[in-house]
Amino acid sequence: MSSEINILYEFGKFRFNAKTNTLWREDELISLPPKALELLKLLVEKQGEVASKQEIFETVWAETFVEEGVLTQNIYTLRQALGTDENGKQLIENLARRGYRLTVPIASENRIGGSAHERTRQINLESEKIANSPFVPRRFVISIAIIIGLSLVSLIAYRYLFFTNSDTSKIPKELKFKQLTDTGDASYLTISADGNLVAYTRGAEVFLRNLPTNTETKLNIENIKRTGCLQFSPAGNFIYFGTVNNRDEKGSVFRVSPTGGLPQMIAEDVWSGFSVSPNGKELAFVRKFPSENKQGLIIKDLETGLEKTLKTLKLPEVFYWNNYPAWSADGKKIAMVATTQSEHFARLFLIERESATEQELKPKDFRNVEQVVWASDENSLIAAANDGNNFQLWKISISTGQTKRITNDLNSYLGISISEDKKKLISRQRIYYSNIWIGKKGDLNNLKQLTTGTSRNDGLLGLTWIDEEKIVYTSNDEKIRDWNLWLLNTADGSRQKLTSDNEIQNDSPTVSADQKTIFFASDRNKESRIWRINPDGSNLAQVSFGEDETHHFPQVSPDGKWLYFIIKSGRSSTIGRKSLFENSVQELSGKTQFTPGNFLSLSPDGKFLAFQNTGQNQKSETNPKLHLAIMSTENPQEVSFAEIESWRQTIVWNTDSKSFDFIVGDYKESNISRQTAESPTPPTKIIETVPASIFNFAWSPKGENLIVSRGQLLRDVVLLTNFE
């Protein structure tokens, strides 16, 4: 055995081996680039003290000249791997003008034996777990331990080979990164045509960064409480901004001077991102027609105010709401992204501006495409696209559809914008995750975390109770678009995967009152339908059927007789009620009063259905309003309407069926508030504001416990150059 001293550092749920530069999260080996590991080694050795930027460069990049953006890039990579503490705070803190430090207690331990000792310890840990399992005969323990040992050696070998022998031809050798923000709350972004100015939103505020001087200023925009998509005018004399922050709401487009002031409204009834034509005379955006379940690509003449519908899509295909139309340099073509209603990527296509003819591009099998811009040769597009793991930047040939990677790392790149000379590109780097927490009635400000990790989105697309101990929730299981159902026992933390589907979205689970059946929406047949499954994962079966329509957000009546869900088609959006004993379906809502939108919630007594109303009679809002409709199930003609300030499109009824709870806040901080249904009064908080995003929540059947899907959406702006 080696007599070399091996120093282990433990912080939070992590263990770092300073001899081998390996990082473990409990018993999981975390793969990181070599320089990121060297940087982490310096930070843990400082044991909470600040490491100055000069010290970092002299230690990690000794005798090598690198830009400061390389440091921020590696800090970002480490933050993505380490995640946050239980309060949602980053484990690596940036102290202005001082440097970086770890914010959690660090314990160190000297050991004899080096990496072999560490691998043996992992084998022993796994063997002990298996040996103590009541389901594994002890005679298999030695064999399994050997297999685990070989697997660990393979992981370490893979890490070494991946980071030393990866195919660097996929990435331009001179690609340079410079991180422009490190606050984690940058949303929409744009770069000016000359490449000197970058604008981005943080919350409702707009900031400008001058790249030559590297200075940031806040833009003072009068009378606006909400901002969305951003665009510079071609001449740089205006900044255009929208007020749309969600696919199921509409807003307006304004323009304002780069020095701020009173904005001018340019367009109304806008349901997407937008873009200004290269000559600055036209505006392109998407308008939704909810009662007809169709969308149109609108071109507005900014001089005359006249509008023209250039292209129409009908459900289940829609324009991707967070994508803005990408004009070619000559203004003759527009690149657009279409998705299915559940936001699975459908296709990428070009539209001729004058003839409205369409050319479909057929790149590799992307799971999703978020945004495209035109490359310098005008025969290629640059796309922020996902091929199975995270969003990277790709170059797509228009003539052949062939793709080539521009980036190839652990980060996600979205929301891209490019300068006129195509030499500067900005992107939004993102960390997006959520975990399940639980709290007891009367003590809801002391939630206990049930799931951990920064690679999944637990409960993001739905969670509910089976009984007072077991819950079922959605998780993307470390892949962006594979959403499956999981069962979790809140008493002992044990989990069971109920569905194991690839390239399928299972969401919005709900449980029958007898606790025997889970109903959920699934697009396993390409179009979303309602399915059912037993809590043990057996008896999977389709429940709802139909042609040229999609079904969403199932709810089961307390007597087990009725299944309610939203039906969307190219004709209308309505609420359906299906008998669980017969094969008949009734449509409860007409399209004149309202149009059901992005959620459906049945009161515990079965008497009321609450849903988002996306009807065209809504007013354009600059505050985050959820337009709510509440329908009587006994008399569907009785409908009341309300507006609540909620950034998530959902409400949860309380057990008394007289009040409901909803989420207030934004991506940085949020709380849960309560309001009565019949005579609305000012809402009251039931969970105080936390420095994290609350995505979903559900009360147990007796109302004694609350589960919450809570996490972080961290976004920063990065500048890429030399990517062509």
Side-chain angles (χ1 to χ4, degrees):
M1 180 181 295
S2 171
S3 61
E4 293 181 350
I5 298 297
N6 179 31
I7 302 179
L8 298 180
Y9 295 91
E10 294 188 358
F11 55 99
K13 297 182 179 180
F14 295 93
R15 186 173 63 261
F16 183 76
N17 187 322
K19 174 66 177 178
T20 61
N21 268 17
T22 50
L23 176 67
W24 299 79
R25 182 192 296 114
E26 295 179 340
D27 297 332
E28 176 190 3
L29 178 65
I30 307 300
S31 294
L32 288 171
K35 289 299 182 184
L37 288 167
E38 290 182 34
L39 175 56
L40 179 60
K41 180 179 179 180
L42 174 61
L43 293 177
V44 296
E45 288 177 343
K46 299 286 288 187
Q47 297 202 352
E49 295 183 2
V50 177
S52 68
K53 291 182 179 180
Q54 181 178 353
E55 182 181 5
I56 293 173
F57 282 119
E58 291 176 351
T59 304
V60 180
W61 288 278
E63 300 180 0
T64 303
F65 175 76
V66 293
E67 294 184 352
E68 188 170 321
V70 175
L71 169 58
T72 54
Q73 177 72 17
N74 279 271
I75 289 290
Y76 191 92
T77 299
L78 286 177
R79 283 177 168 174
Q80 186 175 20
L82 299 179
T84 61
D85 63 17
E86 60 183 13
N87 296 316
K89 185 179 179 181
Q90 290 284 351
L91 298 192
I92 298 179
E93 182 180 19
N94 178 15
L95 300 174
R97 294 181 295 277
R98 293 183 60 194
Y100 297 89
R101 70 181 182 95
L102 284 169
T103 61
V104 291
I106 303 170
S108 61
E109 178 182 355
N110 294 341
R111 289 191 176 184
I112 306 287
S115 59
H117 180 88
E118 185 67 13
R119 290 196 296 273
T120 302
R121 181 174 184 268
Q122 296 308 313
I123 295 172
N124 291 338
L125 281 171
E126 294 299 325
S127 300
E128 182 180 353
K129 288 182 181 179
I130 298 169
N132 292 332
S133 171
F135 304 106
V136 181
R138 294 185 63 84
R139 64 178 178 272
F140 294 130
V141 170
I142 296 176
S143 299
I144 295 175
I146 293 173
I147 293 172
I148 294 171
L150 291 174
S151 299
L152 287 167
V153 173
S154 298
L155 279 171
I156 294 170
Y158 168 79
R159 173 190 171 276
Y160 174 78
L161 291 173
F162 179 83
F163 288 115
T164 57
N165 298 317
S166 58
D167 183 6
T168 57
S169 64
K170 293 181 179 179
I171 309 175
K173 294 182 179 180
E174 299 300 324
L175 182 64
K176 293 183 178 180
F177 297 81
K178 182 177 182 180
Q179 195 161 335
L180 302 182
T181 69
D182 61 2
T183 56
D185 59 350
S187 299
Y188 299 90
L189 50 83
T190 186
I191 190 169
S192 61
D194 61 13
N196 289 328
L197 291 176
V198 172
Y200 43 87
T201 63
R202 287 165 50 190
E205 299 176 323
V206 178
F207 291 82
L208 290 181
R209 181 171 291 274
N210 186 304
L211 294 183
T213 63
N214 197 32
T215 55
E216 180 188 83
T217 57
K218 185 174 74 173
L219 198 62
N220 182 23
I221 303 176
E222 299 177 21
N223 299 331
I224 292 294
K225 297 181 179 180
R226 196 177 195 187
T227 54
C229 178
L230 295 174
Q231 290 275 290
F232 279 101
S233 63
N237 55 331
F238 290 109
I239 294 178
Y240 291 80
F241 65 92
T243 59
V244 177
N245 290 131
N246 186 278
R247 63 178 177 175
D248 285 298
E249 64 184 19
K250 63 182 177 181
S252 301
V253 177
F254 298 82
R255 70 182 181 190
V256 68
S257 166
T259 60
L262 186 65
Q264 175 189 4
M265 182 183 291
I266 299 300
E268 295 182 279
D269 200 7
V270 177
W271 292 77
S272 70
F274 62 89
S275 60
V276 183
S277 62
N279 62 10
K281 295 182 179 181
E282 293 179 307
L283 188 75
F285 59 89
V286 172
R287 176 168 292 154
K288 186 184 292 188
F289 304 94
S291 61
E292 302 174 58
N293 271 358
K294 70 178 183 180
Q295 297 182 353
L297 174 61
I298 308 297
I299 306 296
K300 180 168 185 174
D301 189 312
L302 295 178
E303 295 179 346
T304 65
L306 296 177
E307 295 181 352
K308 175 183 177 181
T309 302
L310 186 61
K311 174 70 178 179
T312 300
L313 295 181
K314 288 194 172 184
L315 293 183
E317 189 177 54
V318 296
F319 294 107
Y320 184 41
W321 75 274
N322 206 27
N323 166 271
Y324 56 82
W327 296 81
S328 60
D330 58 12
K332 294 181 179 180
K333 295 180 180 180
I334 299 175
M336 295 292 294
V337 177
T339 71
T340 63
Q341 200 168 15
S342 56
E343 290 197 3
H344 286 267
F345 171 61
R347 58 196 180 100
L348 173 62
F349 57 98
L350 306 180
I351 304 173
E352 290 283 349
R353 170 65 184 85
E354 295 301 323
S355 64
T357 56
E358 183 181 311
Q359 175 190 351
E360 184 170 345
L361 279 64
K362 298 185 181 297
K364 65 177 292 181
D365 294 330
F366 287 127
R367 305 287 296 284
N368 199 10
V369 177
E370 192 252 9
Q371 181 59 52
V372 295
V373 295
W374 290 77
S376 58
D377 57 13
E378 286 296 305
N379 189 42
S380 301
L381 297 174
I382 297 174
N386 167 274
D387 67 340
N389 292 300
N390 54 3
F391 282 87
Q392 298 292 312
L393 300 184
W394 302 76
K395 191 173 184 179
I396 303 173
S397 169
I398 293 175
S399 57
T400 67
Q402 291 183 337
T403 61
K404 180 182 179 182
R405 279 183 181 270
I406 296 176
T407 60
N408 187 18
D409 55 36
L410 299 176
N411 298 305
S412 285
Y413 299 90
L414 302 106
I416 54 178
S417 178
I418 197 167
S419 61
E420 186 177 26
D421 62 9
K422 315 298 182 183
K423 292 183 179 181
K424 294 179 180 178
L425 182 145
I426 59 171
S427 177
R428 182 179 67 250
Q429 287 185 331
R430 184 186 73 177
I431 301 175
Y432 197 14
Y433 69 90
S434 58
N435 292 302
I436 307 294
W437 299 64
I438 187 171
K440 290 187 177 294
K441 180 181 179 180
D443 191 25
L444 294 179
N445 290 315
N446 291 304
L447 300 180
K448 175 185 176 183
Q449 190 169 351
L450 295 177
T451 66
T452 60
T454 59
S455 57
R456 296 190 305 269
N457 290 306
D458 292 340
L460 190 68
L461 297 186
L463 73 172
T464 190
W465 292 82
I466 295 178
D467 53 34
E468 289 297 317
E469 286 191 349
K470 294 188 290 294
I471 67 172
V472 60
Y473 65 94
T474 62
S475 177
N476 69 339
D477 196 24
E478 302 187 4
K479 290 194 175 181
I480 298 299
R481 293 297 169 190
D482 293 343
W483 293 92
N484 283 290
L485 300 182
W486 289 75
L487 184 145
L488 172 66
N489 189 316
T490 62
D492 60 16
S494 61
R495 297 196 308 159
Q496 176 189 352
K497 196 173 184 179
L498 301 182
T499 62
S500 299
D501 299 313
N502 295 323
E503 301 185 15
I504 288 174
Q505 180 167 310
N506 302 299
D507 60 49
S508 308
T510 190
V511 179
S512 59
D514 62 8
Q515 304 171 0
K516 294 181 178 180
T517 307
I518 301 168
F519 294 89
F520 62 100
S522 176
D523 61 2
R524 60 188 59 241
N525 287 343
K526 294 187 177 180
E527 293 184 352
S528 181
R529 297 286 187 270
I530 308 304
W531 290 68
R532 71 182 181 199
I533 195 171
N534 290 352
D536 63 359
S538 64
N539 294 330
L540 175 68
Q542 187 171 345
V543 177
S544 70
F545 301 85
E547 295 183 2
D548 299 324
E549 60 187 35
T550 57
H551 302 162
H552 310 269
F553 314 113
Q555 295 284 285
V556 188
S557 63
D559 58 13
K561 294 181 179 180
W562 301 103
L563 177 70
Y564 298 93
F565 52 92
I566 293 179
I567 303 172
K568 294 188 177 184
S569 69
R571 302 178 303 277
S572 63
S573 179
T574 62
I575 295 175
R577 178 167 66 185
K578 175 183 173 65
S579 169
L580 291 175
F581 300 101
E582 300 174 1
N583 199 29
S584 60
V585 177
Q586 300 173 264
E587 289 191 0
L588 300 185
S589 59
K591 61 183 181 180
T592 54
Q593 279 186 300
F594 43 76
T595 303
N598 204 31
F599 77 89
L600 186 67
S601 181
L602 180 67
S603 60
D605 60 11
K607 294 183 178 180
F608 300 101
L609 281 167
F611 53 90
Q612 181 189 21
N613 175 28
T614 60
Q616 288 180 282
N617 60 340
Q618 296 180 38
K619 295 180 180 180
S620 180
E621 298 288 346
T622 56
N623 286 323
K625 296 278 188 179
L626 175 59
H627 299 267
L628 188 66
I630 300 177
M631 172 194 291
S632 168
T633 57
E634 297 174 350
N635 183 5
Q637 300 304 314
E638 293 183 5
V639 182
S640 60
F641 300 93
E643 289 183 351
I644 55 177
E645 293 191 7
S646 176
W647 80 286
R648 295 290 292 177
Q649 285 69 49
T650 188
I651 70 162
V652 175
W653 288 94
N654 291 295
T655 53
D656 61 6
S657 297
K658 296 180 180 180
S659 59
F660 55 80
D661 301 333
F662 56 96
I663 303 169
V664 178
D666 54 30
Y667 287 111
K668 293 186 66 177
E669 57 182 25
S670 53
N671 67 71
I672 297 178
S673 294
R674 176 168 295 173
Q675 184 168 304
T676 57
E678 292 183 355
S679 55
T681 57
T684 58
K685 290 183 183 180
I686 64 168
I687 289 184
E688 291 298 321
T689 301
V690 295
S693 299
I694 297 175
F695 300 110
N696 247 316
F697 65 101
W699 285 103
S700 62
K702 295 180 180 179
E704 296 299 321
N705 296 290
L706 182 73
I707 49 172
V708 175
S709 170
R710 165 183 158 183
Q712 289 286 336
L713 174 54
L714 303 176
R715 301 161 296 182
D716 280 300
V717 183
V718 63
L719 171 68
L720 286 78
T721 54
N722 292 2
F723 53 87
E724 288 286 356

